[in-house]
């Protein structure tokens, strides 16, 4: 006799499972267990009862998945792209026809620049060499400079008052033998250096005006008159003020201060002025101030200024200077 096996309910399966799987919450995420129990009198063709599958919380079986990164076809049109060329823009304007100089025009232009620039560079670096002072051409050159000097406005103005301004050529009273030993009348004279010096002396006011031509022979740098040449001319011109002021009619330079304000270009006439500073002047000491101004720009500021002290030294016998030196 066979005993029929008792029919078990689905809820009794929890007692048959291992302890770590007895939780209903864990059973939801596992495949449901099915148990076939054959009971006497039951239909073997009937499918066993199964537990319904757990719910899916991430996707609905009746609706297709939504795509959140694709644009709907029913939405507004996409914005215009700023990186693609606009096919509806107007065509570009036609190119302008520029006037092009012929080739021979450029050749003439640059050839002229090279010619005149080369002449200027050669004259700047290598000045023209004038003939020596004994040459007839040199004498003619000096005569032409004297003609130009007589046309200067400052010379015409001073000659209007001959009783005040005494005119003379520098070192005209010095014998020719002694004149060669001096600077401005000896080694610094001639057409290339200082060929012309015209001196105007005002003894009453103790003033001197010297019209000087500085040639390229006294340049320390191309197209720049040497500062030593300016200092020499200033020293001699200021001495023409101090020495006649002393009763002994002689003296020497004690100090000489010079301020070079601007560059002095050669081959031009310059006005060298000197005037006595009466404050502190005595029979043996005198201060004199001087300046150098271009003759073509007489009203402008001086290019060089100087101040010197002239004294009569003790214990030395000096020769008296003549009037016209």
């Amino acid at each position: 006799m066979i005993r029929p096996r008792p029919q078990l309910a689905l809820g009794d399966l929890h007692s048959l499972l291992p302890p770590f799987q007895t939780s209903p919450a864990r059973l939801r995420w596992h495949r449901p267990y099915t148990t076939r129990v054959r009971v006497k009198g039951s239909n073997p063709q009937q499918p066993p009862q199964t537990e319904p599958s757990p719910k899916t919380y991430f996707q609905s079986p009746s609706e297709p998945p939504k795509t959140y990164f694709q644009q709907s076809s029913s939405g507004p049109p996409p914005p215009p792209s700023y990186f693609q060329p606009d096919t509806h823009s107007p065509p570009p304007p036609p190119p302008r026809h520029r006037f092009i100089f012929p080739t021979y025009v450029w050749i003439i232009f640059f050839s002229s620049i090279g010619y005149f620039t080369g002449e200027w560079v050669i004259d700047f670096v290598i000045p023209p060499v004038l003939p020596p002072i004994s040459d007839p051409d040199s004498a003619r050159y000096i005569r032409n400079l004297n003609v130009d000097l007589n046309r200067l406005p400052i010379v015409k103005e001073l000659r209007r008052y001959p009783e005040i301004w005494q005119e003379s050529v520098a070192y005209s009273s010095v014998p020719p033998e002694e004149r060669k030993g001096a600077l401005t009348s000896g080694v610094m004279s001639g057409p290339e250096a200082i060929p012309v010096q015209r001196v105007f002396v005002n003894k009453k006011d103790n003033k001197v005006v010297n019209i000087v031509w500085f040639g390229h022979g006294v340049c320390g740098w191309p197209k720049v008159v040497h500062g030593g040449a300016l200092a020499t001319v200033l020293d001699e011109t200021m001495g023409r003020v101090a020495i006649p002021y002393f009763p002994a009619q002689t003296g020497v330079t004690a100090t000489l201060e010079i301020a070079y304000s601007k560059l002095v270009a050669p081959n031009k006439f310059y006005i060298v002025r000197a005037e006595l500073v009466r404050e502190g002047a005595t029979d043996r000491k005198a201060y004199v101030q001087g300046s150098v101004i271009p003759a073509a720009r007489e009203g402008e500021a001086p290019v060089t200024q100087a101040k010197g002290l002239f004294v009569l030294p003790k214990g030395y016998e000096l020769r008296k200077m003549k009037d016209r030196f």
Side-chain angles (χ1 to χ4, degrees), residues 60-113:
S60 176
S62 60
E63 296 180 2
K66 290 185 178 181
T67 304
Y68 296 94
F69 301 99
Q70 295 182 1
Q71 188 175 4
S72 176
S73 59
S74 60
S81 175
Y82 296 97
F83 301 98
Q84 296 181 2
D86 189 4
T87 57
H88 301 286
S89 60
R96 297 180 180 180
H97 297 283
R98 296 182 299 176
F99 178 74
I100 302 176
F101 286 97
T103 305
Y104 66 88
V105 175
W106 293 111
I107 294 176
I108 296 176
F109 176 72
F110 287 107
S111 299
S112 303
I113 292 179

Side-chain angles (χ1 to χ4, degrees), residues 159-170:
R159 284 177 177 174
R160 291 177 57 185
Y161 308 97
E163 67 279 1
I164 299 177
W165 295 96
Q166 183 180 0
E167 180 182 0
S168 64
V169 178

Side-chain angles (χ1 to χ4, degrees), residues 274-295:
E275 182 179 358
L276 178 69
V277 180
R278 297 189 177 275
E279 183 179 358
T282 63
D283 293 344
R284 305 183 66 89
K285 181 179 68 174
Y287 287 95
V288 182
Q289 58 186 7
S291 62
V292 179
I293 304 173

Side-chain angles (χ1 to χ4, degrees), residues 27-28 30 36 42 57 62 70 160 165 170 174 188 205 211 225 272 307:
L27 286 175
R28 287 192 309 173
H30 293 276
R36 294 183 181 182
S42 62
Y57 294 93
S62 60
Q70 295 182 1
R160 291 177 57 185
W165 295 96
V174 179
M188 294 180 64
D205 298 332
I211 312 299
V225 177
V272 183
K307 184 178 181 180

